[in-house]
Amino acid sequence: MRKIRIAIDGFAGTGKSSTARAVAKALGYTYIDTGAMYRAVTLYLLDKQIPVDRETPALMEALGNIRLDFRPGKGASLEVYLNDEPAEPAIRHPRVSEAVSPVATLPAVRHALVAQQRRIGEQGGVVMDGRDIGTYVFPDAELKVFMTASLPVRAQRRQYEMADAGLEQSIEDIQSNLSARDQIDANREMAPLRQAPDAVVMDTSDMDFEDQVAEILRLVAKHYDAAHSR
C-alpha cells in the first residue's frame, strides 16, 4: 500500500517536531523539520545583517545563495544543513527564535521553501511538521494533525529543549516569545497558522511524549484500515 503524507501543524512548543520525528522513525518514513528550514534561512540573514522583516534586494539575492539539505544526524534523524554546514544548534538560539516568524511571513521566503517541501514529499512516506503543512504545503495530505497545548506548558517544554542544546533563557522571556510568535503566525497574510477542516486536533497539555506518538500511530493505522476496507 502506498506510503502516505502526514502533516502535523500547530503552535510552537506543542511537541510537533519531536513527535513527528518519532512517528517517522516508527513508520520508516522520512521526517522533514520545516521549522528548521525557516530557522536556517533566518540564521543566514542575521549573520549577513540582512533585514528580516521585509523583502529587499539583499534578501532576494540571499535566497539565491542559500542551499538547504537534510543529512543524517543523531540516531536515525535528519538535520538541516545550511550551505553544507550543520545548522544545529545555532538555529535554536534565542536570537533566531525571536526573528523566525517575521522571516516566515515574507512571501519570497515561503515560496522558496514550500517548493522544496513539496518536492521532498510528493512521493509520500514523509512526516512534515510546521504551521501550514496541512493547509498550504500539502492540503491533500492523507493524514493531518493539529497540535495545541497551553502556553505555560509550551514554554516549559521549550525551556527544556533549549537546555538540552546548552542554551539558557528565562521562562518569562520564552513565554513572551511564544505568545508573540502565535500572533504573527496566526495573522500573517500568506498561509497563516490555521487548523485544516479535516485535521485531527490533539491537545497535548496533559499528554506525555509516548502518548503523543502512540496517538498519531493509531491514526495512521486507522487510515490504513479504512483504505483497506474500501
Side-chain angles (χ1 to χ4, degrees):
M1 190 172 291
R2 182 183 185 275
K3 292 184 176 182
I4 66 174
R5 293 161 295 177
I6 302 173
I8 302 179
D9 292 305
F11 296 97
T14 54
K16 297 190 308 296
S17 296
S18 54
T19 300
R21 186 180 290 108
V23 168
K25 181 178 180 181
L27 296 172
Y29 281 19
T30 298
Y31 165 64
I32 301 298
D33 184 352
T34 62
M37 297 173 73
Y38 286 99
R39 283 175 172 271
V41 171
T42 302
L43 176 65
Y44 182 92
L45 297 178
L46 292 173
D47 285 348
K48 298 296 183 181
Q49 298 184 332
I50 297 172
V52 299
D53 59 347
R54 58 190 181 277
E55 293 184 357
T56 61
L59 180 135
M60 302 305 291
E61 181 179 353
L63 290 177
N65 295 328
I66 293 174
R67 299 186 309 279
L68 301 178
D69 64 288
F70 286 86
R71 303 180 188 180
K74 297 178 181 178
S77 65
L78 297 177
E79 293 184 357
V80 67
Y81 273 62
L82 171 60
N83 293 339
D84 296 322
E85 296 292 334
E88 298 278 6
I91 59 172
R92 307 298 170 182
H93 193 279
R95 73 183 183 111
V96 176
S97 296
E98 292 166 3
V100 66
S101 285
V103 171
T105 66
L106 300 176
V109 174
R110 300 202 70 82
H111 282 306
L113 296 191
V114 167
Q116 292 191 43
Q117 293 159 12
R118 286 174 174 164
R119 188 163 51 250
I120 292 170
E122 63 185 355
Q123 298 302 317
V126 297
V127 182
M128 286 193 183
D129 75 281
R131 288 163 176 74
D132 62 354
I133 309 303
T135 56
Y136 184 67
V137 181
F138 286 115
D140 55 348
E142 292 83 356
L143 175 61
K144 302 175 186 177
V145 178
F146 189 87
M147 295 176 65
T148 184
S150 69
L151 184 58
V153 168
R154 292 191 286 133
Q156 187 67 73
R157 290 173 177 172
R158 181 52 51 85
Q159 190 176 53
Y160 289 150
E161 178 185 86
M162 292 176 64
D164 286 342
L167 302 171
E168 293 185 7
Q169 191 174 23
S170 72
I171 196 71
E172 292 80 11
D173 286 346
I174 294 174
Q175 189 162 314
S176 177
N177 172 254
L178 290 175
S179 180
R181 290 186 64 186
D182 290 347
Q183 291 296 316
I184 294 173
D185 292 339
N187 293 288
R188 67 190 181 210
E189 184 174 347
M190 182 179 177
L193 171 62
R194 295 282 189 276
Q195 174 194 329
D198 53 345
V200 177
V201 179
M202 280 180 57
D203 186 335
T204 68
S205 299
D206 298 316
M207 297 176 71
D208 61 27
F209 174 70
E210 290 75 14
D211 289 340
Q212 293 174 195
V213 175
E215 176 61 14
I216 295 181
L217 291 176
R218 185 190 69 80
L219 293 171
V220 173
K222 182 179 179 181
H223 167 83
Y224 277 119
D225 286 345
H228 181 72
S229 65
R230 287 199 290 267

